[in-house]
Amino acid sequence: MDIAVTNPLFKQKLLQHIQLLREQLVLTGIKEGLDHEKTIHLSQKLDEYIYLYQSYDKQS
């Protein structure tokens, strides 16, 4: 098992990062539009972190 996954602060840090990405996604979507490259990139990044969180949550 990876050392980062066993760290008790890992889940909290993931949640904080997910919230930050959500906020950035919303603001970018409003400012640039939903089909803008920046918005799509942030959406994909958010998906990656949510998947990582869900994978972590299954292991703990």
Side-chain angles (χ1 to χ4, degrees), residues 1 13 22-23 34-37 42 49 51 54:
M1 184 177 280
K13 291 291 184 184
R22 279 185 180 141
E23 292 169 10
L34 297 178
D35 60 348
H36 192 276
E37 182 179 333
L42 282 169
Y49 276 90
Y51 177 79
Q54 289 172 337

Side-chain angles (χ1 to χ4, degrees), residues 21-33 39 42:
L21 283 171
R22 279 185 180 141
E23 292 169 10
Q24 290 175 343
L25 176 61
V26 169
L27 292 174
T28 303
I30 291 169
K31 182 179 177 186
E32 305 289 344
T39 308
L42 282 169

Side-chain angles (χ1 to χ4, degrees), residues 3 9 16-17 22 24 27-30 32 34 36-38 40 43-46 51-52 55-56 59:
I3 190 77
L9 296 176
Q16 289 172 348
H17 195 70
R22 279 185 180 141
Q24 290 175 343
L27 292 174
T28 303
I30 291 169
E32 305 289 344
L34 297 178
H36 192 276
E37 182 179 333
K38 289 180 187 178
I40 293 169
S43 177
Q44 291 170 339
K45 196 78 161 163
L46 178 59
Y51 177 79
L52 183 62
S55 297
Y56 169 79
Q59 293 177 3

